[in-house]
């Protein structure tokens, strides 16, 4: 262990096996190591943005066992917004200060390709300054299969219609055996990475998530991080890594043991140490709870996502995030936990210090 600790202190890269061993380190010692890297890069700054999540349809042709959001037997409440509704929501968010709309849907085979693409076009026409972060690699894979388009063709259409960056969703956990059990039929890990690589090759940025705390093991988590680190070495387009804590309600995935706060904090800290080439680590408070996200600031995380305003995916599975957080509340929580809230844009340019 001493050897690994020295490597981290010297800022040498650690291997997958060494990363796995870090779970055996005492929590606060691991936290200190991750925190020293965070402080070296960002001091006490904690980034967030004023954003609005929009989830325009929950009709989905895939059945991911962890998902409580898509319309199915447990959530028999299908909806699909019109493009006008989507534009209205974006306009209203913009008038309340949102700089970004994060638009992620289910894989709806009835909506049509133009419904997806037109909504971006119309939001951009109405609000040329707003940053559109839209379509996960899983949605791109769905559109490609459904409409017989290559990934490049879908990406061309997205860029033409005003999409600025890709969110990190759909990555789940890269280990194919686990993927088969929790989201069989969804984009493969290889293609998830390929789509991001293609996106980065256009000079565009994206994020990467990891869904953990279900049936995966620690090995799967560190392997997921290493595969992201490898792609980032090649393409350099990931802005941020977001470990998403699994929420257990209203879905079909039976999980006997849930994560302790210790295990969540260790996973954040290890991701900060392993991902030496991805600048930001986000504690997405909608899945970790705001309380743990505030503590995670001392375990390597420098980003708390944002005010969100409305959230449908995690809250459907039990998270306390449906209505987001007021800006003032959010800023005060960060300040009172000893960090400096920095409002950023979607590409991490600093907009305002509080
Ligand atoms: O990919 C679904 C996850 C993701 C559950 O890029 C669940 O900045 C926990 O990707 N428990 C979509 N998570 C959300 C997402 C995201 C969120 C915030 C910021 C960014 C970003 C991206 O939600 C899906 C899936 O992994 N999810 N069900 C659940 N029960």
């Amino acid at each position: 262990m001493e050897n690994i600790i020295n490597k981290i202190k010297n800022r040498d890269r650690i291997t997958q096996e060494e990363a796995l061993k870090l779970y055996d380190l005492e929590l606060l010692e691991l936290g200190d190591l991750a925190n020293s890297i965070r402080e070296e890069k960002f001091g006490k700054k904690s980034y967030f943005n004023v954003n609005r999540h929009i989830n325009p349809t929950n009709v989905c042709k895939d059945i991911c066992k962890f998902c409580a959001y898509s319309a199915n037997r447990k959530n028999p409440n299908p909806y699909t917004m019109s493009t006008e509704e989507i534009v209205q929501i974006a306009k209203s968010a913009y008038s309340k200060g949102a700089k970004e709309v994060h638009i992620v849907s289910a894989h709806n085979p009835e909506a049509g390709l133009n419904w997806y693409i037109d909504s971006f076009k119309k939001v951009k026409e109405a609000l040329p300054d707003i940053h559109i972060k839209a379509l996960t690699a899983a949605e791109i894979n769905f559109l490609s299969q459904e409409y017989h388009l290559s990934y490049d063709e879908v990406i061309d259409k997205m860029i033409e219609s005003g999409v600025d960056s890709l969110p990190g969703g759909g990555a789940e956990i890269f280990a194919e055996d686990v993927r088969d059990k929790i989201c069989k039929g969804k984009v493969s890990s290889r293609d998830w990475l390929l789509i991001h690589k293609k996106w980065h090759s256009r000079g565009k940025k994206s994020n990467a998530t990891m869904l953990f705390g279900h049936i995966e093991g620690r090995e799967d988590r560190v392997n997921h991080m290493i595969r992201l680190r490898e792609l980032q070495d090649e393409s350099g387009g990931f802005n941020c890594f977001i470990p998403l804590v699994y929420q257990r309600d209203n879905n079909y995935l039976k999980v006997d043991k849930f994560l302790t706060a210790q295990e969540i904090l260790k996973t954040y800290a290890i991701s900060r140490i392993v991902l030496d080439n991805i600048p930001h680590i986000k504690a997405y408070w909608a899945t970790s709870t705001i309380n743990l996200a505030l503590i995670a600031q001392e375990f390597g995380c420098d980003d708390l996502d944002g005010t969100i305003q409305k959230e449908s995916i995690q809250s459907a599975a039990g998270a306390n995030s449906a209505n987001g957080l007021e800006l003032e509340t959010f800023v005060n929580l960060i300040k009172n936990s000893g960090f400096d809230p920095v409002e950023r844009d979607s590409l991490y340019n600093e907009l305002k210090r509080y």
Side-chain angles (χ1 to χ4, degrees):
M1 190 64 88
E2 219 179 293
N3 185 28
I4 306 175
I5 293 174
N6 283 335
K7 272 175 103 173
I8 297 169
K9 285 187 173 159
N10 293 330
R11 302 292 180 254
D12 291 335
R13 196 165 254 200
I14 61 164
T15 64
Q16 184 171 321
E17 293 67 34
E18 289 168 337
L20 185 57
K21 286 202 185 107
L22 286 178
Y23 274 105
D24 298 331
L25 199 58
E26 193 271 321
L27 175 67
L28 297 183
E29 201 177 347
L30 180 61
D32 275 348
L33 289 170
N35 190 44
S36 72
I37 302 173
R38 181 237 202 265
E39 290 214 337
E40 196 173 283
K41 288 180 190 261
F42 307 111
K44 287 278 178 194
K45 288 180 188 172
S46 272
Y47 294 99
F48 72 95
N49 71 355
V50 182
N51 60 350
R52 171 64 148 91
H53 286 219
I54 308 178
N55 304 118
T57 181
N58 66 350
V59 176
C60 197
K61 97 185 233 282
D62 286 307
I63 306 168
C64 297
K65 286 194 178 158
F66 53 77
C67 182
Y69 162 68
S70 76
N72 58 39
R73 271 186 293 123
K74 292 207 175 181
N75 173 24
N77 188 21
Y79 72 84
T80 302
M81 296 177 187
S82 65
T83 44
E84 289 68 31
E85 266 177 278
I86 299 168
V87 173
Q88 269 321 312
I89 294 172
K91 278 186 175 168
S92 149
Y94 186 73
S95 72
K96 291 182 201 143
K99 311 282 189 307
E100 170 191 287
V101 278
H102 176 159
I103 308 178
V104 169
S105 281
H107 307 162
N108 185 339
E110 293 149 23
L113 177 65
N114 286 341
W115 174 81
Y116 281 86
I117 298 299
D118 285 352
S119 61
F120 308 136
K121 252 187 213 155
K122 289 188 179 152
V123 168
K124 208 53 169 200
E125 272 166 23
L127 304 164
D129 295 339
I130 211 157
H131 181 105
I132 304 182
K133 182 165 81 178
L135 292 188
T136 65
E139 288 173 277
I140 295 175
N141 170 263
F142 157 72
L143 293 175
S144 146
Q145 288 184 348
E146 195 71 19
Y147 300 103
H148 311 290
L149 297 167
S150 66
Y151 292 146
D152 284 304
E153 286 168 324
V154 179
I155 287 172
D156 284 342
K157 284 182 187 296
M158 290 165 64
I159 293 175
E160 279 161 27
S161 64
V163 176
D164 296 293
S165 67
L166 281 196
E172 319 317 353
I173 197 86
F174 288 150
E176 285 298 341
D177 56 332
V178 181
R179 234 181 149 71
D180 260 9
K181 289 184 189 135
I182 65 171
C183 56
K184 199 174 171 57
K186 194 169 177 167
V187 64
S188 66
S189 51
R190 192 185 142 274
D191 279 21
W192 189 97
L193 290 160
L194 176 65
I195 290 166
H196 281 259
K197 184 176 174 180
K198 285 180 177 293
W199 182 257
H200 297 165
S201 75
R202 312 294 183 94
K204 303 268 182 195
K205 296 291 185 185
S206 71
N207 292 337
T209 57
M210 173 179 78
L211 182 67
F212 73 115
H214 43 89
I215 58 166
E216 91 293 349
R218 289 172 167 178
E219 301 79 7
D220 300 319
R221 290 181 217 149
V222 291
N223 171 263
H224 189 103
M225 295 171 199
I226 296 286
R227 288 180 70 184
L228 286 172
R229 188 172 77 182
E230 284 167 1
L231 175 56
Q232 181 75 340
D233 277 344
E234 269 184 68
S235 67
F238 290 118
N239 260 339
C240 179
F241 177 63
I242 311 154
L244 298 169
V245 183
Y246 170 64
Q247 309 291 304
R248 60 185 108 163
D249 291 351
N250 307 319
N251 66 23
Y252 294 98
L253 189 61
K254 285 206 162 49
V255 175
D256 296 331
K257 251 185 140 183
F258 293 103
L259 291 183
T260 58
Q262 259 208 60
E263 187 76 5
I264 296 170
L265 291 173
K266 281 189 171 181
T267 304
Y268 285 139
I270 292 170
S271 67
R272 165 58 79 198
I273 293 165
V274 171
L275 294 170
D276 53 11
N277 54 2
I278 298 187
H280 301 281
I281 306 291
K282 183 185 286 187
Y284 183 49
W285 62 266
T287 69
S288 64
T289 74
I290 187 66
N291 294 341
L292 201 61
L294 294 170
I295 297 170
Q297 296 174 109
E298 294 182 17
F299 287 78
C301 296
D302 64 290
D303 189 312
L304 297 185
D305 195 76
T307 48
I308 301 180
Q309 294 187 11
K310 185 156 175 58
E311 195 284 313
S312 307
I313 299 179
Q314 274 81 23
S315 54
N320 184 16
S321 51
N323 298 314
L325 278 169
E326 288 299 329
L327 180 60
E328 201 187 335
T329 313
F330 196 65
V331 162
N332 283 335
L333 283 168
I334 297 174
K335 273 190 181 169
N336 292 340
S337 61
F339 287 82
D340 300 332
V342 179
E343 186 182 334
R344 59 164 175 85
D345 68 11
S346 306
L347 301 174
Y348 289 86
N349 298 303
E350 293 186 13
L351 300 178
K352 188 170 173 184
R353 305 286 290 269
Y354 287 80

